Amino acid sequence: MTRMPTYFISHGGGPWPWLPEMRRGFAELERTLAAMPSEFPEKPKAVLMISGHWETADFAVMSSNAPPMVYDYTGFPAHTYEITYPAPGAPTLAQRTADLIKAAGLPTHLDDQQGFDHGVFAPMAVIYPEADVPTYQVSLQHGYDPAAHFALGRALAPLRDEGVLIVGSGLSYHNLRNFGPGARVPSTEFDTWLNDVMLRDPEERTQALLNWETAPSARIAHKEEDHLAPIFVALGAAEADASTVTYHEEGIFGGVTATSFRLG
């Protein structure tokens, strides 16, 4: 089995693939997500997502054989609360994942009730529209401690050699109260810093991300870092690998600059 890359993706907004107007606004994001399978060395055995929309007291691992749906958004048309993304789960890999997390000294448990949130099913509906690749999640941990999430990524790294694609799903700017034109300056400042950091040597890159709050406009870009923390996991799982930009766009959500990255 060839080693899989890892990704941090800016996943867009809500159930956007099912809303024509939003979908047009995310045409470039859709193009890059749809292109991802062509970048893999082979079809993954499973996709492991770390989404900004699921967090627990520890690092929970989704273990359902057929995960349900979680419609974790409000104010959208009725049909978006009937969306299904029927990818199978990966209970055997979930146990393997929990064992790796536990072996790293991190707290974890299996969760056979949790379903796919929109940070997973929206991008996955574009990446694998046939829903034919087993998909599961590991939660963020409350508090978003960067060091703990880097440690999680390091614990998950062996899965890359076992056919598992690890994807951190968030957004490089996520301040819902400051979308629109007011996001233009802070998102550009933070995104410029992030792009620069991601091109640095691995050790320097890790240190910069551990201290991300010192970045320009950091706390404007992320009042809470739920949508940034997935990048710590993706980096931890590919800490020695170079990164490349897979998606970069200015002006989404009326003024937001956003970027996605691949490692390896």
Side-chain angles (χ1 to χ4, degrees), residues 184-257:
R184 193 171 305 278
V185 170
S187 70
T188 299
E189 288 182 346
F190 185 77
D191 199 81
T192 299
W193 173 86
L194 185 61
N195 275 267
D196 173 67
V197 163
M198 291 294 285
L199 293 175
R200 297 180 188 175
D201 291 337
E203 184 175 346
E204 188 178 355
R205 181 180 66 195
T206 295
Q207 286 305 311
L209 266 296
L210 287 171
N211 296 289
W212 73 273
E213 289 179 271
T214 64
S217 296
R219 276 299 176 192
I220 301 175
H222 297 280
K223 292 185 75 66
E224 290 190 5
E225 56 269 37
D226 50 318
H227 276 57
L228 180 66
I231 201 172
F232 306 147
V233 186
L235 282 165
E239 201 159 15
D241 292 351
S243 69
T244 55
V245 172
T246 59
Y247 164 73
H248 178 82
E249 192 165 13
E250 301 174 8
I252 64 171
F253 297 112
V256 170
T257 296

Side-chain angles (χ1 to χ4, degrees), residues 94-182:
Q95 183 63 64
R96 163 73 172 146
T97 300
D99 290 345
L100 287 170
I101 296 171
K102 190 177 299 183
L106 300 171
T108 187
H109 75 279
L110 295 174
D111 186 329
D112 64 0
Q113 301 297 309
Q114 179 68 24
F116 297 139
D117 62 68
H118 81 263
V120 175
F121 71 74
M124 284 299 291
V126 179
I127 299 168
Y128 282 116
E130 300 301 317
D132 59 347
V133 176
T135 301
Y136 69 118
Q137 295 180 238
V138 173
S139 73
L140 299 175
Q141 185 180 38
H142 294 327
Y144 316 119
D145 176 50
H149 288 81
F150 265 96
L152 172 64
R154 294 177 191 123
L156 300 177
L159 295 172
R160 295 177 60 198
D161 294 318
E162 299 171 19
V164 178
L165 178 73
I166 298 171
V167 180
S169 178
L171 200 63
S172 59
Y173 175 95
H174 194 256
N175 182 339
L176 295 178
R177 297 191 178 196
N178 196 34
F179 274 9

